[in-house]
Amino acid sequence: MIIIIRGLSRHPLPDETDSDFQNDCLNSSNNYRQYHESPDFVLDQSLVDYAKSRCQTISQNEGTLSHDGLDKGIGENLAWMCKWGSKMCTGQQAVDMWYAEEKHYNYSDPKYSPKTGHFTQLVWKDTVHVGCARCFGRGPRGNETYIVCNYKPRGNIVGYKNVFFRRNVLDPEY
């Protein structure tokens, strides 16, 4: 089946989600969450299944990431990486990339920013369930890896008052 999204279409890339990948995402995420006094994520199989579906859809869009069609109440972090080598990108690489946005976060003026959206969703204290998926295959730019992590309940919503960010994105304790 080919789905057309924003004028681009191709077959979805194969699902490459396995337990090692899930553990990689979960452990990497929880390592960062502990710095911010956020509870460990719990792996949620329904979110894994949902992330697999989202990964298939997003991988048909040739390197363009979009939250279009995301179910209400679910948060999402997306990553796309392209390499000429044959190795898939890891869950830790995606989580590290999302967490790197922390350097742009202003703890004294906590609020949503597109520069820190992945980071704040990753460490959002009230979010406790996660499911991640990975799609991998040959694309026009090389070997492509798409990684999708979905979160419940959703955090860091545009328009949330600063008090929600202050309560959910705590200063790191390294």
Side-chain angles (χ1 to χ4, degrees):
M1 176 166 107
I2 296 177
I3 296 176
I4 297 174
I5 302 174
R6 293 187 183 172
L8 301 174
S9 66
R10 68 174 179 188
H11 291 285
L13 295 180
D15 175 49
E16 292 290 343
T17 306
D18 59 20
S19 61
D20 288 340
F21 170 76
Q22 286 296 334
N23 288 331
D24 189 28
C25 288
L26 191 64
N27 292 335
S28 300
S29 297
N30 286 338
N31 285 339
Y32 284 126
R33 287 175 65 80
Q34 71 182 331
Y35 298 142
H36 299 272
E37 298 180 45
S38 296
D40 283 353
F41 280 137
V42 175
L43 187 64
D44 182 317
Q45 188 58 48
S46 67
L47 285 175
V48 171
D49 295 340
Y50 184 71
K52 286 181 179 185
S53 170
R54 293 283 300 155
C55 198
Q56 292 285 289
T57 298
I58 290 164
S59 74
Q60 293 175 77
N61 207 13
E62 297 188 29
T64 302
L65 301 178
S66 171
H67 298 292
D68 291 349
L70 183 64
D71 284 356
K72 186 177 182 173
I74 295 179
E76 183 171 70
N77 279 347
L78 305 173
W80 173 79
M81 293 162 262
C82 187
K83 294 182 174 183
W84 284 105
S86 61
K87 289 184 80 173
M88 283 182 282
C89 294
T90 67
Q92 181 171 351
Q93 287 171 309
V95 171
D96 288 349
M97 187 170 50
W98 297 328
Y99 189 80
E101 294 176 358
E102 190 264 346
K103 67 184 173 218
H104 301 293
Y105 190 73
N106 184 349
Y107 292 94
S108 60
D109 185 21
K111 61 186 172 193
Y112 178 81
S113 165
K115 287 184 176 182
T116 60
H118 299 101
F119 159 70
T120 54
Q121 177 61 81
L122 181 65
V123 301
W124 197 263
K125 193 172 187 174
D126 286 346
T127 300
V128 292
H129 298 279
V130 67
C132 299
R134 174 176 58 187
C135 299
F136 174 78
R138 182 88 178 135
R141 299 175 195 137
N143 288 320
E144 299 178 54
T145 304
Y146 289 81
I147 294 176
V148 176
C149 285
N150 290 120
Y151 307 92
K152 204 172 190 181
R154 179 182 173 188
N156 79 346
I157 298 171
V158 177
Y160 263 5
K161 296 184 189 246
N162 291 16
V163 67
F164 291 114
F165 279 85
R166 187 167 281 114
R167 186 180 74 213
N168 282 285
V169 183
L170 305 177
D171 273 315
E173 295 184 10
Y174 298 107

